[in-house]
Structure formats: structure tokens, C-alpha cells
Amino acid sequence: MTGSTAAPFTADDYRARMERAAREAAEAGLAGLLVAPGPDLVWLTGYTPPAVTERLTLLVLAAGQDPVLVVPALEAPDAHRAAGAAALTLRDWTDGKDPYAAAAALLDASGRFGISDNAWALHLLALQQALPGSSYASLTEALPMLRAVKDAAELDLMAAAGAAADATFEEIRDVPFAGRRESEVAADLVRLLRRHGHEQVDFTIVASGPNGANPHHEAGDRVIARGDMIVLDFGGLRDGYGSDTSRTVHVGEPTDEERRVHDIVRAAQEAGFRAVRPGAACQDVDRAARRVIADAGYGEYFIHRTGHGIGVTTHEPPYMIEGEERPLVPGMCFSVEPGIYLPGRFGVRIEDIVTVTEDGGRRLNTTTRELVIVE
């Protein structure tokens, strides 16, 4: 599974994405979109600058206009080689010139624009100074669903990333746990994810014993012992698309209470998955999973949302959380990951990435959700 057989996205793919983004921006009442280096720029153009610096790089999208990428002249050759370059116009600027004047000339002086969440304040403030009548909204606020619905090719990449994470779990369950530091097992996870094709590893949580009660515990020097419950949560990017899965294992035989808590979380995860269907609200997934845990008497120990979107980043909209009434749409991908966290004792989390289908949902992680015994 180490090699990729995925067909690369073409200039036509990127053209279609940019056209859709510009159209959705207009429908949202925006004059256009301003996209800085980061995941949005990669998704829209296939371009990743050779280095993120203080020099302005900015994609300008607006309905009825050709896309324009403003780039530093010294990086223009790299931009020309991007997969989506043929679908846009490049406008370079040289050191000593005002890049904001070049960008401002492309913009409606009194328009309201969506701008990448990760755009530097330096650049946004300079644009505001160049165009005092303009205003801005973060892309997450203005177009939160821009990347949420995946097409068939993206779903194939998501499935491959999920399968790679599954293969990693199947191998990690056979490594020694007892007597080793959490950090050593985390290093095994990094090695296995890369072996199975991940070019980027974003997180490898190994939370043993009482550390399992911290959902975002970073693997440390604690030595794993027999009798420990261990939350494993790991993922990253494979061919540019994300994986993220959690399984809870136990070193040696668990107690009756540990089995019971794990069974409750497994039932909650199943309930959350079964709530996935087109037209259901995101919060319905959270409610279904949370109800199982609350009914079992552990509601106060489920301390985070049930899920988050995933795609070219491992965390993105939509979010499966109370109050999010946005409807699920076929092609959305997100985690379903309820948990119970008992302070000072142990934690349990079970997580799959799920995609919405025409009549329900499909798991992209298929490893066992039973409690796995490790040594």
C-alpha cells in the first residue's frame, strides 16, 4: 500500500473548483475570494509556494472574472509549474514594488471579500489600507462548506487514506506495549503511517492509563504497564487527503468496568454512525451518540464534540456538535468519535471517518471496534 495509484488532478479540475468557489462567493453576497497560501490555495490551484514568507501570494477569485494569482516574481517559475496554472492568470511583482497596489487593482474598492483563515494579518491590514472601503470575512465564516462535499476522485483518495490508517492499526496492535514509553509507540505509528503512504503525519496520540482521560494527550515518557487502557488516535495526509482514526486497546485482560465503558462508547459510536443520512442535521449525529453515553450515566465525561470534517486538512467544517443545524449532504466526510474520560483513571474513544451517501453513510475505517487486547 506504500505507493499511490491515484490519478493527479488536472487543470480542468482546478478550473471547475475555482469557478464553483467564485459562484458560491457571489451567491453569498461577496465581491470575491482572496486565498492565501495554505490548504485552500492547494485545493483550488494545486500550488504550494516553496516557502511561506512575508512576500504576498494571493489568489483573487470573483464571478465573471478570470482567476488571478498574484505572486512574487522570484516564485513565479514554481507557480507556473502548478497543476492548476493553466486555469488562471499569473501576475508577478518584484521586490521594491507595492504588491498590495497590484492586488488592489483587481478588487472592487468597496467590496466585501472572503479571505483565507490563515492569511497573515500583515497582508489583510495592508489591503484594508489600500482599499479603505473594503471589508472582509474569514472563509470559515463566509463559505464554511466550500471544501466539505467531496467529488468521486476525492472520495477515492479519502478511502485510500482511511485504508492506510487501518493497515497501520492492524500492525500496531502486534507491537509490544508493556514496558515501553508512550513516545516509543507513537514513533511506531509515525513509521507505519509513512510506510503506508502518508506524506504527512499530523498526530499520534498514545494515551495510556490515566493519560487516556485527556482527549488530546501528547505521547510522553510514561511507561505503559499491564492493566493499562490505551487510547490510540492517529492520522495525517496521504496523497493530500486526510486520515484520522481512534481505537482503544488494553494491555492484558480488562476489568468488567473497563469493558462496560468501552461497550458504551462502541454503542454510542454506532448510534452516531446510524444517524448519518442526507438531510439530517450535523447536530443529529452528536445527539445520537451523546444520548447513549448520557443514558448510561456517563454524560458528564463526554467532553468534546462528536465529530469534525476532514479533507485536505484533518480538521475542517462541518462539525458534529449541538447547535449545528446544517444538513448533511452526500460527499461530506467527517469523524464520528464519541468518548468517555474518567479523570485520573482511564479514557475510551472510538473514531471512524464517515462519508454521507445517497441513502445513509459509509465508514472509511473498517478495523474492529471491539476492545483489542495487546501485550
Side-chain angles (χ1 to χ4, degrees):
M1 188 182 290
T2 54
S4 170
T5 58
F9 294 115
T10 66
D12 286 341
D13 294 322
Y14 292 113
R15 181 179 290 107
R17 291 178 185 178
M18 287 188 281
E19 288 175 352
R20 177 165 71 84
R23 184 174 62 252
E24 291 184 7
E27 292 169 354
L30 298 171
L33 299 181
L34 308 179
V35 185
D40 294 312
L41 186 64
V42 174
W43 183 76
L44 286 163
T45 69
Y47 176 52
T48 302
V52 178
T53 72
E54 73 284 355
R55 292 184 174 93
L56 179 71
T57 294
L58 196 70
L59 174 68
V60 179
L61 298 177
Q65 296 178 205
D66 291 336
V68 177
L69 181 62
V70 178
V71 295
L74 76 168
E75 295 173 3
D78 297 291
H80 275 290
R81 287 191 289 270
L88 50 78
T89 298
L90 287 174
R91 185 164 299 181
D92 61 25
W93 60 275
T94 56
D95 284 354
K97 302 293 185 181
D98 183 356
Y100 306 106
L106 303 170
L107 307 180
D108 177 347
S110 59
R112 181 168 177 78
F113 297 89
I115 189 166
S116 302
D117 294 8
N118 56 338
W120 286 20
L122 169 74
H123 301 318
L124 176 57
L125 293 171
L127 285 171
Q128 287 179 316
Q129 185 173 10
L131 297 173
S134 63
S135 60
Y136 304 86
S138 74
L139 276 186
T140 292
E141 174 192 341
L143 292 178
M145 296 295 104
L146 180 62
R147 304 193 319 251
V149 178
K150 277 65 177 176
D151 62 25
E154 290 181 295
L155 289 174
D156 286 345
L157 292 170
M158 292 292 302
D166 284 356
T168 294
F169 177 70
E170 294 294 359
E171 292 192 46
I172 200 69
R173 58 187 288 182
D174 292 329
V175 307
F177 280 79
R180 301 177 70 209
R181 292 183 176 86
E182 293 173 338
S183 57
E184 293 175 299
V185 177
D188 288 339
L189 285 169
V190 172
R191 173 178 54 82
L192 291 170
L193 285 167
R194 293 197 179 280
R195 178 193 295 174
H196 290 289
H198 281 64
E199 70 272 8
Q200 177 177 313
V201 177
D202 287 345
F203 46 86
T204 52
I205 293 173
V206 179
S208 64
N211 289 339
N214 176 0
H216 281 173
H217 171 72
E218 292 190 7
D221 290 334
R222 185 180 185 275
V223 176
I224 298 168
R226 290 192 65 81
D228 278 349
M229 191 83 93
I230 308 171
V231 177
L232 303 174
D233 184 345
F234 50 92
L237 300 183
R238 184 182 189 275
D239 288 331
Y241 282 76
S243 70
D244 185 0
T245 189
S246 300
R247 295 292 186 261
T248 301
V249 301
H250 197 277
V251 185
E253 284 300 315
T255 65
D256 290 345
E257 181 191 20
E258 288 170 331
R259 282 196 180 277
R260 182 172 67 255
V261 171
H262 190 277
D263 285 346
I264 293 166
V265 174
R266 182 161 53 87
Q269 206 269 348
E270 178 69 18
F273 170 70
R274 291 190 177 279
V276 175
R277 63 186 183 280
C282 291
Q283 68 181 5
D284 293 341
V285 179
D286 182 83
R287 287 174 174 178
R290 198 168 299 278
R291 187 178 304 117
V292 173
I293 291 174
D295 288 351
Y298 289 91
E300 66 183 293
Y301 302 110
F302 181 10
I303 56 177
H304 55 72
R305 64 196 175 202
T306 292
H308 58 81
I310 185 170
V312 294
T313 58
T314 47
H315 282 213
E316 61 186 42
Y319 299 102
M320 307 302 113
I321 190 170
E322 181 66 30
E324 179 52 86
E325 298 179 350
R326 193 178 309 278
L328 301 180
V329 176
M332 283 183 175
C333 296
F334 49 85
S335 66
V336 178
E337 51 176 308
I340 292 175
Y341 308 94
L342 302 178
R345 302 182 62 206
F346 65 89
V348 176
R349 182 164 65 256
I350 301 171
E351 174 185 15
D352 293 326
I353 299 304
V354 172
T355 185
V356 184
T357 64
E358 294 297 331
D359 58 0
R362 174 169 67 98
R363 284 187 167 99
L364 300 185
N365 296 108
T366 58
T367 55
T368 182
R369 286 168 288 280
E370 301 286 342
L371 182 56
V372 169
I373 306 303
V374 297
E375 296 299 329

